[in-house]
Amino acid sequence: MIPIANPEITDDDKQAVLEVLESGMLASGPEVEKFEEEFAEFTGADYAVATTSGTTALDTAVQACGFKAGDRVITTPFTFIASCNALLFNSVEPVFADIDPATFNLDPVRVREILENDPDIRGILPVHLFGQPADMSEIMDLAEEYELIVIEDAAQAHGAAHCGQRTGSFGQAGIFSFYPTKNMTTGEGGMLVTSDSQTASRARKIINHGRTGHYQHDVLGYNFRSTDLAAALGRQQLRRLEDYNESRRENARYLTEKLQELDWLEVPEERPENYHVYHQYTVRLRPLNLESYDPAQDYKKLGNCFARVKKCRDQLVEYLRGKGVGCGIYYPLPAHRQPVYRRRGYDSYKCPWAEAASAQVLSLPVHPALSQADLEKIVKVVSCFSENITAVYLQ
Ligand SMILES: *Cc1c(COP(=O)(O)O)cnc(C)c1O
């Protein structure tokens, strides 16, 4: 089976971790400090604070940026659930705006519509989904116009850039995840970056029991501290990150070149102003028998059509796995349709493009460990499914 993710751990990684184990300094120490400095420099932000996960970095960012209970923050429903959970945990209200179907990211046009009608919005939380930056030029313009706080969820976009600027460095804070499936890993781990010194010092307190001095506790804080073990691994991985990203981009180019010939598939589109780091290579099944489709115009009528697309997509997943090609569906349900959000009344949101994407998407392996033979096999197996496609759609 070609796995959907396959993190690389080198001898240098092992040596770096071993040295920490032998040093006796297992918790947060000099390695964490160096990892923070190096990561901040990499993103172009002034400060970085290492945490236990992307989720805890996001929770810390929401608090450190100054959001208060009852604040309303625009975000995308087409993401991993941790993005909007960080708001809910802090009693901040997620306001879901639909995505741009071409990039799967927050659509600035929808964001503006909400801002024009809701004077209580205090922030925007864009996610750089699958490694492609959200439209940060537009989002930062809106933030300035409406005086909003921006937090970037860059958990899938280490080293990605928009107009030459790296993700994480646009907003008041940006967060990253080092979970093993991400573009670089520390096992579990996360990082908050910011160029605002106040946000940085608040974040540093929040992850360390609200501590300011020797058993002096200024604010309510957690233990979200990283460890020297994780940081030693992270420093090694960071050195190889740009090579990893280039390799992901090469693999994506190959897949796109071959798969774009299939009339039932839409390959990912990289915006010219973006440097996409392909955390996932995500294709969409195109509904057949429709010259063009626009679920935003007439979602009800198209409901049946997308139910068929979903059925076909799910059969493709089975087919690929049966032939030894790992794949994933990110994400099968938009956040506002998840039971946990439905129970809180978010079901009334209308985000037809996010819902269509949930029925259409399929992610294929694109990670740096793929061989040329793996890539050829992925293309061959996907192409072979073409024979089934008409039959499946017409069922
Ligand atoms: C992985 C991920 C997170 C959470 O990161 P963890 O390190 O797993 O806690 C948050 N947001 C997005 C978009 C992610 O992909």
Side-chain angles (χ1 to χ4, degrees):
M1 175 77 91
I2 303 172
I4 184 77
N6 190 4
E8 184 192 63
I9 300 296
T10 65
D11 288 341
D12 285 346
D13 292 355
K14 291 176 194 166
Q15 189 54 36
V17 173
L18 193 62
E19 278 168 26
V20 173
L21 282 170
E22 285 170 351
S23 77
M25 183 71 219
L26 302 182
S28 180
E31 287 294 318
V32 169
E33 231 172 89
K34 285 181 210 149
F35 185 33
E36 288 174 341
E37 271 170 32
E38 290 162 5
F39 200 85
E41 194 188 328
F42 176 79
T43 58
D46 291 342
Y47 310 93
V49 178
T51 62
T52 49
S53 69
T55 304
T56 55
L58 202 47
D59 194 340
T60 303
V62 171
Q63 294 180 40
C65 286
F67 286 115
K68 298 278 178 315
D71 284 348
R72 296 167 66 74
V73 172
I74 297 174
T75 192
T76 168
F78 194 58
T79 182
F80 181 54
I81 201 74
S83 308
C84 39
N85 281 357
L87 299 170
L88 274 194
F89 267 120
N90 292 289
S91 306
V92 173
E93 194 73 18
V95 175
F96 293 110
D98 207 359
I99 57 169
D100 174 348
T103 61
F104 303 115
N105 282 324
L106 210 47
D107 184 345
V109 175
R110 302 279 97 82
V111 174
R112 181 180 283 283
E113 275 171 14
I114 294 173
L115 288 169
E116 283 169 355
N117 294 298
D118 187 341
D120 295 331
I121 301 290
R122 281 213 57 216
I124 311 178
L125 196 166
V127 179
H128 308 303
L129 203 70
F130 305 141
Q132 168 132 264
D135 190 345
M136 293 314 291
S137 310
E138 288 289 324
I139 288 172
M140 295 313 292
D141 282 352
L142 287 168
E144 194 171 337
E145 186 180 338
Y146 287 88
E147 294 178 26
L148 306 172
I149 296 167
V150 174
I151 297 176
E152 297 170 71
D153 181 342
Q156 304 185 355
H158 321 60
H162 174 83
C163 299
Q165 184 177 344
R166 285 213 166 122
T167 54
S169 65
F170 289 87
Q172 187 171 332
I175 71 94
F176 295 84
S177 163
F178 304 127
Y179 188 74
T181 57
K182 305 293 160 96
N183 292 37
M184 61 174 277
T185 187
T186 65
E188 295 275 5
M191 191 75 83
L192 180 157
V193 302
T194 179
S195 290
D196 177 56
S197 63
Q198 253 203 334
T199 303
S201 68
R202 278 201 220 117
R204 203 161 282 296
K205 271 194 274 188
I206 290 163
I207 67 151
N208 192 19
H209 306 288
R211 197 159 156 169
T212 46
H214 193 62
Y215 294 102
Q216 292 284 317
H217 304 275
D218 207 22
V219 295
L220 194 60
Y222 309 94
N223 174 1
F224 287 164
R225 295 181 310 253
S226 182
T227 65
D228 267 20
L229 285 168
L233 180 54
R235 292 182 67 203
Q236 294 297 324
Q237 294 260 321
L238 180 59
R239 287 193 190 173
R240 299 197 302 275
L241 177 61
E242 285 174 273
D243 287 344
Y244 283 156
N245 286 343
E246 271 301 311
S247 160
R248 284 174 182 274
R249 287 172 59 79
E250 261 172 49
N251 293 344
R253 261 195 298 275
Y254 179 85
L255 293 173
T256 290
E257 187 196 316
K258 303 290 179 190
L259 295 177
Q260 67 188 358
E261 287 158 22
L262 303 176
D263 63 355
W264 52 276
L265 264 195
E266 286 172 14
V267 294
E269 181 184 321
E270 180 179 9
R271 284 282 157 90
E273 67 275 20
N274 281 346
Y275 182 82
H276 190 327
V277 295
Y278 291 96
H279 167 61
Q280 296 293 353
Y281 182 87
T282 303
V283 298
R284 290 188 302 176
L285 272 73
R286 181 182 290 146
L288 293 187
N289 316 325
L290 286 169
E291 284 296 282
S292 65
Y293 60 97
D294 184 356
Q297 291 300 317
D298 201 354
Y299 189 60
K300 270 235 168 72
K301 243 195 238 166
L302 289 171
N304 268 341
C305 172
F306 279 101
R308 248 179 290 152
V309 171
K310 183 174 180 308
K311 202 162 103 189
C312 188
R313 190 266 318 267
D314 294 345
Q315 289 193 15
L316 174 57
V317 169
E318 289 307 308
Y319 181 84
L320 291 174
R321 289 187 181 148
K323 301 272 184 201
V325 175
C327 55
I329 298 171
Y330 312 109
Y331 294 91
L333 250 195
H336 65 292
R337 298 286 187 217
Q338 294 284 354
V340 49
Y341 281 80
R342 283 227 296 258
R343 279 200 301 277
R344 287 170 167 79
Y346 289 91
D347 212 16
S348 59
Y349 274 99
K350 293 244 166 355
C351 297
W353 282 121
E355 281 164 46
S358 291
Q360 293 175 284
V361 291
L362 172 74
S363 299
L364 297 168
V366 72
H367 55 77
L370 294 176
S371 65
Q372 183 59 32
D374 291 336
L375 288 165
E376 284 166 17
K377 180 174 172 182
I378 294 165
V379 168
K380 186 161 161 248
V381 175
V382 174
S383 304
C384 280
F385 190 72
S386 299
E387 292 165 17
N388 308 349
I389 203 95
T390 324
V392 174
Y393 268 122
L394 295 178
Q395 265 171 20

